[in-house]
Amino acid sequence: MSGSIPRATVRRLPAYLQFLEESISIHTTVASDDIALATGTSAAQVRKDLSQLGSFGTRGVGYDVVALHNLISRALGLESERPVAIIGAGNLGTALANYRGFGERGFRIVAVYDADPRRIGKRIDTLVVRPVDALKKDARRNGLEIGMIATPADAAQSVTDMLVDAGIEAILNFAPVVVKVPANVTVHQVDLATELRILSYHLAQRAR
Amino acid sequence: MSGSIPRATVRRLPAYLQFLEESISIHTTVASDDIALATGTSAAQVRKDLSQLGSFGTRGVGYDVVALHNLISRALGLESERPVAIIGAGNLGTALANYRGFGERGFRIVAVYDADPRRIGKRIDTLVVRPVDALKKDARRNGLEIGMIATPADAAQSVTDMLVDAGIEAILNFAPVVVKVPANVTVHQVDLATELRILSYHLAQRAR
DNA sequence: TAGATTGTTAATCGATTAACAATC
DNA sequence: TAGATTGTTAATCGATTAACAATC
């Protein structure tokens, strides 16, 4: 069924899910047009995307909010909570560890690691920063599934290697370097300065 | 000349630039294949992208690092420093304000704002958190060009409206909501939980 | 010259949009 | 029934890839 969903669709599904979560207490039904409006896309796009997950709207009526929510959750593999570790307990790592949005959306930060002895033992929310060497042992015990890299650029590759060695197959990398991983591991990069540079292009276009 | 560069190309240019900055002290010349390897794309893609900016490599040799760096900088409008403001002085806003990568890449955080009186006056790095009401006046004085929204979701739209009112035309939004802006304003959204949900899809795919 | 590498073309692929018959 | 909205098709658009002549 959901053998495989096109990349572009997968990128939009979380936004649809977000909107459905906000709608769930308000409506029992939503139209493709409602979803489109809330997520900044088109109704045709929404219907096309949803049809990839199988048909189940009702013509003349729309989509059942709860049913659609469940369907997208399942498609994204969000039925059970996924344990996440943060590597790097600097400003960014600390901010990530404190961020409530992860928990609300089914991800649990189970540990924060750092290599710097001065940071080890530091409390962040309910967690205590652990030495990065403990990662591999911990990973098995915690059933760790996702690693978030919040280290400086020059540490990112070696941290990545540790994560891979610990059996993690999904990595979110905030360091501004492309890290190498084996084919079975997925890395997404969030580069804050890159986003600003793209915005800069738009400012420059406007000025001409 | 660079009348307009395809979206997909614009998204890759910052990565090329990053690599060139690392190369500048090592080589005088790089091949499309070197850039491709470092940025996770293909040599054909790199050449195609660069040809959008005009021709200037040397067959059999490659691209002059300095010349290419200048060309991409210019194309992205990165010749002069762009002043940035952060709205929201919570964990994320504080982390962003402390992040060195912005300064290194030509963006200067000129102010941090918050609505909460308990946060106003707080020192972050060399800055002091200011009341969000001061935004509009400050914006003109500082020549503010970019706003980064690091508030909770429910404050994002009103903060956006303030930024727009202050004449800002480029916004990076970290709040997990789609904000509405007039056509002359560009918004990019960085939704951390969305990234995790996309990773979750890949984990789910793997498990089948 | 021989080897390397660009710039560009044509082919392919994937994503988006428009339109509308089906149907609740 | 009339009105609303889906699911799907076909057309369009944009991005990527492969291949190779041009040329340093």
Side-chain angles (χ1 to χ4, degrees):
Chain A
M1 193 93 320
S2 53
S4 116
I5 305 172
R7 290 186 149 276
T9 295
V10 172
R11 290 208 68 87
R12 281 185 295 265
L13 290 179
Y16 299 170
L17 199 59
Q18 178 81 18
F19 172 67
L20 291 168
E21 281 160 10
E22 289 160 15
S23 305
I24 218 157
S25 58
I26 311 175
H27 308 106
T28 67
T29 255
V30 290
S32 56
D33 199 49
D34 301 331
I35 301 177
L37 216 65
T39 62
T41 180
S42 70
Q45 184 73 270
V46 170
R47 292 201 300 277
K48 193 76 195 271
D49 285 339
L50 297 183
S51 74
Q52 318 269 8
L53 316 184
S55 262
F56 55 99
T58 307
R59 287 162 205 243
V61 177
Y63 301 85
D64 181 86
V65 175
V66 172
L68 185 54
H69 180 274
N70 290 343
L71 191 89
I72 297 178
S73 278
R74 210 166 328 119
L76 292 176
L78 293 170
E79 295 127 306
S80 58
E81 197 176 63
R82 295 197 182 268
V84 178
I86 296 170
I87 327 297
N91 281 303
L92 183 60
T94 302
L96 293 171
N98 278 306
Y99 180 50
R100 302 273 141 226
F102 295 135
E104 289 162 9
R105 293 188 192 77
F107 299 93
R108 190 151 64 98
I109 311 295
V110 293
V112 181
Y113 298 92
D114 205 293
D116 185 339
R118 283 166 302 179
R119 286 188 183 149
I120 294 167
K122 181 181 134 190
R123 295 193 79 86
I124 302 179
D125 199 14
T126 64
L127 300 168
V128 174
V129 177
R130 293 178 55 73
V132 72
D133 320 278
L135 176 62
K136 191 174 179 178
K137 242 180 301 165
D138 289 5
R140 194 181 321 240
R141 190 173 57 238
N142 294 330
L144 198 62
E145 296 192 300
I146 298 176
M148 302 202 337
I149 301 178
T151 66
D154 56 15
Q157 183 63 59
S158 79
V159 163
T160 301
D161 296 344
M162 285 183 204
L163 287 167
V164 169
D165 185 45
I168 276 55
E169 295 191 318
I171 295 173
L172 191 57
N173 178 26
F174 288 86
V177 279
V178 176
V179 293
K180 288 187 198 29
V181 291
N184 64 317
V185 177
T186 304
V187 180
H188 275 231
Q189 188 149 2
V190 176
D191 189 330
L192 303 175
T194 287
E195 295 298 330
L196 287 189
R197 285 178 159 181
I198 295 169
L199 283 175
S200 172
Y201 170 74
H202 291 288
L203 287 171
Q205 279 305 94
R206 201 151 289 139
R208 70 185 48 250
Chain B
M1 193 94 313
S2 52
S4 118
I5 305 172
R7 288 188 151 276
T9 295
V10 172
R11 290 208 68 86
R12 282 185 296 266
L13 290 178
Y16 301 169
L17 198 60
Q18 178 81 17
F19 172 68
L20 291 168
E21 279 161 9
E22 288 159 15
S23 305
I24 217 156
S25 58
I26 311 175
H27 307 106
T28 66
T29 256
V30 292
S32 55
D33 199 50
D34 301 330
I35 300 177
L37 216 66
T39 61
T41 181
S42 71
Q45 184 73 268
V46 170
R47 291 201 299 279
K48 194 77 196 269
D49 285 339
L50 297 183
S51 74
Q52 318 268 10
L53 317 184
S55 262
F56 53 97
T58 308
R59 285 160 208 244
V61 177
Y63 301 85
D64 181 85
V65 175
V66 171
L68 186 53
H69 180 274
N70 290 342
L71 192 88
I72 297 179
S73 279
R74 210 164 330 119
L76 293 175
L78 294 169
E79 297 128 304
S80 59
E81 198 176 63
R82 293 198 184 267
V84 178
I86 297 171
I87 326 298
N91 282 303
L92 182 60
T94 303
L96 292 171
N98 277 307
Y99 180 50
R100 302 272 141 226
F102 295 135
E104 289 163 10
R105 293 189 193 77
F107 299 92
R108 192 152 63 98
I109 311 294
V110 293
V112 181
Y113 297 92
D114 205 292
D116 185 339
R118 283 166 301 181
R119 286 189 183 148
I120 294 168
K122 181 180 134 191
R123 294 193 79 87
I124 302 178
D125 198 14
T126 64
L127 299 170
V128 173
V129 177
R130 292 177 57 73
V132 72
D133 320 278
L135 176 61
K136 191 174 179 180
K137 243 178 302 166
D138 289 6
R140 194 182 318 241
R141 191 173 54 239
N142 293 330
L144 198 62
E145 296 193 300
I146 298 176
M148 301 200 340
I149 299 178
T151 65
D154 56 15
Q157 183 64 58
S158 79
V159 163
T160 301
D161 296 344
M162 284 182 204
L163 287 167
V164 169
D165 184 45
I168 276 54
E169 295 192 318
I171 295 173
L172 191 56
N173 177 27
F174 288 86
V177 278
V178 176
V179 292
K180 288 187 199 29
V181 290
N184 64 315
V185 177
T186 304
V187 180
H188 276 232
Q189 187 148 2
V190 176
D191 188 332
L192 304 175
T194 288
E195 294 298 329
L196 288 188
R197 285 178 158 180
I198 296 169
L199 283 174
S200 172
Y201 171 75
H202 291 288
L203 288 171
Q205 281 303 95
R206 202 152 286 139
R208 68 188 48 250

Coordinates of all heavy atoms in Angstrom, one line a residue, chain A residues 198 201-202 206, chain B residues 4-14 49 52 76 185-188, chain C residues 16, chain D residues 14-16:
Chain A
I198 N 20.0 31.9 1.9 CA 18.9 31.8 0.9 C 18.0 33.1 1.0 O 17.6 33.7 0.0 CB 18.1 30.5 1.1 CG1 19.0 29.3 0.8 CG2 16.9 30.5 0.1 CD1 18.4 28.0 1.2
Y201 N 19.5 36.0 -0.7 CA 19.3 36.0 -2.2 C 18.0 36.7 -2.5 O 17.9 37.5 -3.4 CB 19.2 34.6 -2.7 CG 18.8 34.5 -4.1 CD1 19.6 34.9 -5.2 CD2 17.5 34.0 -4.5 CE1 19.2 34.9 -6.5 CE2 17.1 34.0 -5.8 CZ 17.9 34.4 -6.8 OH 17.5 34.4 -8.1
H202 N 16.9 36.4 -1.7 CA 15.6 37.0 -2.0 C 15.7 38.5 -1.8 O 15.1 39.3 -2.5 CB 14.5 36.4 -1.2 CG 14.3 35.0 -1.6 ND1 13.6 34.7 -2.8 CD2 14.6 33.8 -1.1 CE1 13.5 33.4 -2.9 NE2 14.1 32.8 -1.9
R206 N 15.1 41.5 -4.7 CA 14.2 42.6 -4.5 C 14.8 43.9 -4.8 O 14.1 44.8 -5.3 CB 13.8 42.5 -3.0 CG 12.5 43.1 -2.7 CD 11.9 42.4 -1.6 NE 11.4 41.1 -1.9 CZ 11.6 40.0 -1.2 NH1 12.2 40.1 0.0 NH2 11.1 38.9 -1.5
Chain B
S4 N 17.5 35.6 -12.9 CA 16.9 34.8 -11.8 C 17.5 33.4 -11.8 O 17.6 32.8 -12.9 CB 15.4 34.9 -11.8 OG 14.9 33.6 -12.0
I5 N 17.8 32.9 -10.7 CA 18.4 31.6 -10.6 C 17.4 30.6 -10.1 O 16.6 30.9 -9.2 CB 19.6 31.7 -9.6 CG1 20.5 32.8 -10.0 CG2 20.3 30.4 -9.4 CD1 21.6 33.1 -8.9
P6 N 17.3 29.4 -10.7 CA 16.3 28.4 -10.2 C 16.4 28.2 -8.7 O 17.5 28.1 -8.1 CB 16.7 27.2 -11.0 CG 17.4 27.6 -12.2 CD 18.1 28.9 -11.7
R7 N 15.2 28.0 -8.1 CA 15.1 27.7 -6.7 C 16.1 26.7 -6.2 O 16.8 26.8 -5.2 CB 13.7 27.2 -6.3 CG 12.6 28.2 -6.4 CD 11.3 27.6 -5.9 NE 10.5 28.7 -5.3 CZ 10.6 29.1 -4.1 NH1 11.5 28.6 -3.2 NH2 9.9 30.1 -3.6
A8 N 16.1 25.6 -6.9 CA 16.9 24.4 -6.5 C 18.4 24.8 -6.5 O 19.1 24.3 -5.6 CB 16.6 23.2 -7.4
T9 N 18.8 25.6 -7.4 CA 20.2 26.0 -7.5 C 20.5 26.9 -6.3 O 21.5 26.7 -5.6 CB 20.4 26.7 -8.8 OG1 20.3 25.8 -9.9 CG2 21.8 27.3 -8.8
V10 N 19.6 27.9 -6.0 CA 19.8 28.8 -4.9 C 20.0 28.0 -3.6 O 20.8 28.3 -2.8 CB 18.6 29.8 -4.8 CG1 18.8 30.6 -3.5 CG2 18.6 30.7 -6.0
R11 N 19.3 27.0 -3.4 CA 19.4 26.2 -2.2 C 20.7 25.5 -2.1 O 21.2 25.2 -1.0 CB 18.3 25.1 -2.1 CG 16.9 25.6 -1.9 CD 16.0 24.6 -1.2 NE 16.5 24.4 0.2 CZ 16.1 25.1 1.3 NH1 15.2 26.1 1.1 NH2 16.6 24.8 2.4
R12 N 21.4 25.2 -3.2 CA 22.7 24.5 -3.1 C 23.9 25.5 -3.1 O 24.9 25.1 -2.6 CB 22.9 23.6 -4.4 CG 22.1 22.3 -4.2 CD 22.4 21.4 -5.4 NE 22.0 21.9 -6.6 CZ 20.8 21.6 -7.2 NH1 19.9 20.8 -6.6 NH2 20.4 22.2 -8.3
L13 N 23.7 26.7 -3.6 CA 24.8 27.6 -3.6 C 25.5 27.9 -2.2 O 26.7 27.9 -2.2 CB 24.4 29.0 -4.2 CG 24.1 28.9 -5.7 CD1 23.6 30.3 -6.2 CD2 25.3 28.5 -6.5
P14 N 24.7 28.0 -1.2 CA 25.4 28.2 0.1 C 26.3 27.1 0.5 O 27.4 27.3 1.1 CB 24.2 28.3 1.1 CG 23.0 28.8 0.3 CD 23.2 28.1 -1.0
D49 N 24.5 24.2 -12.2 CA 24.3 25.3 -11.3 C 25.2 26.5 -11.6 O 24.7 27.6 -11.7 CB 24.5 24.8 -9.8 CG 23.4 23.9 -9.3 OD1 22.3 23.9 -9.9 OD2 23.6 23.2 -8.3
Q52 N 24.5 28.7 -14.5 CA 23.5 29.7 -14.3 C 24.0 31.1 -13.9 O 23.3 32.1 -14.1 CB 22.5 29.2 -13.2 CG 22.1 27.8 -13.2 CD 20.9 27.4 -14.0 OE1 20.4 28.3 -14.7 NE2 20.4 26.2 -13.9
L76 N 24.3 35.7 -4.3 CA 23.4 35.6 -3.1 C 23.2 36.9 -2.4 O 22.5 36.9 -1.4 CB 24.0 34.5 -2.2 CG 24.0 33.0 -2.7 CD1 24.7 32.1 -1.6 CD2 22.6 32.5 -2.9
V185 N 7.2 39.9 1.1 CA 8.0 39.4 2.2 C 8.2 37.9 2.0 O 7.3 37.2 1.6 CB 7.2 39.6 3.5 CG1 8.0 39.0 4.7 CG2 7.0 41.1 3.8
T186 N 9.4 37.5 2.2 CA 9.8 36.1 2.1 C 9.9 35.5 3.5 O 10.6 36.0 4.3 CB 11.1 35.9 1.4 OG1 11.1 36.6 0.1 CG2 11.5 34.4 1.2
V187 N 9.2 34.3 3.7 CA 9.4 33.6 5.0 C 9.9 32.2 4.7 O 9.5 31.5 3.8 CB 8.0 33.4 5.7 CG1 8.2 32.7 7.0 CG2 7.3 34.8 5.9
H188 N 10.9 31.8 5.5 CA 11.4 30.5 5.5 C 11.1 29.9 6.8 O 11.3 30.5 7.8 CB 12.9 30.4 5.2 CG 13.2 30.4 3.7 ND1 13.9 29.4 3.1 CD2 12.7 31.2 2.8 CE1 14.0 29.7 1.8 NE2 13.3 30.8 1.6
Chain C
dT16 P 5.6 19.1 -5.6 OP1 6.1 20.1 -4.6 OP2 4.8 17.9 -5.1 O5' 4.8 19.8 -6.7 C5' 5.4 20.9 -7.5 C4' 4.4 21.4 -8.5 O4' 4.1 20.4 -9.5 C3' 3.1 21.9 -7.9 O3' 2.9 23.2 -8.3 C2' 2.1 20.9 -8.4 C1' 2.7 20.4 -9.7 N1 2.4 19.1 -10.3 C2 2.0 19.0 -11.6 O2 1.8 20.0 -12.3 N3 1.8 17.7 -12.0 C4 1.9 16.5 -11.3 O4 1.7 15.4 -11.8 C5 2.4 16.7 -9.9 C7 2.6 15.5 -9.1 C6 2.6 17.9 -9.5
Chain D
dG14 P 8.4 26.5 -14.7 OP1 8.2 27.7 -13.8 OP2 8.9 26.6 -16.1 O5' 9.3 25.5 -13.9 C5' 8.8 24.9 -12.7 C4' 9.8 23.9 -12.2 O4' 9.7 22.7 -13.1 C3' 11.3 24.3 -12.4 O3' 11.9 24.0 -11.1 C2' 11.8 23.6 -13.6 C1' 11.0 22.3 -13.5 N9 10.8 21.5 -14.7 C8 10.5 21.9 -16.0 N7 10.4 20.9 -16.8 C5 10.7 19.8 -16.0 C6 10.8 18.4 -16.4 O6 10.6 17.9 -17.5 N1 11.1 17.6 -15.3 C2 11.3 18.0 -14.0 N2 11.6 17.1 -13.1 N3 11.3 19.3 -13.7 C4 11.0 20.1 -14.7
dA15 P 13.4 24.2 -10.8 OP1 13.5 24.9 -9.5 OP2 14.1 24.9 -12.0 O5' 14.0 22.8 -10.7 C5' 13.2 21.8 -9.9 C4' 14.0 20.5 -10.0 O4' 13.7 19.9 -11.3 C3' 15.5 20.7 -10.0 O3' 16.0 19.7 -9.1 C2' 16.0 20.5 -11.4 C1' 15.0 19.5 -12.0 N9 14.7 19.7 -13.4 C8 14.5 20.8 -14.1 N7 14.3 20.6 -15.4 C5 14.3 19.2 -15.5 C6 14.2 18.3 -16.6 N6 13.9 18.7 -17.9 N1 14.3 17.0 -16.4 C2 14.6 16.6 -15.1 N3 14.7 17.3 -14.0 C4 14.6 18.6 -14.3
dT16 P 17.6 19.4 -8.9 OP1 17.7 19.1 -7.4 OP2 18.3 20.5 -9.5 O5' 17.8 18.1 -9.7 C5' 17.1 17.0 -9.5 C4' 17.5 15.9 -10.5 O4' 17.2 16.3 -11.8 C3' 19.0 15.6 -10.4 O3' 19.1 14.2 -10.2 C2' 19.5 16.1 -11.8 C1' 18.3 16.0 -12.7 N1 18.1 16.8 -13.8 C2 17.9 16.3 -15.1 O2 17.8 15.0 -15.2 N3 17.8 17.2 -16.1 C4 17.8 18.5 -16.0 O4 17.6 19.2 -17.1 C5 18.1 19.1 -14.7 C7 18.1 20.6 -14.6 C6 18.2 18.2 -13.7

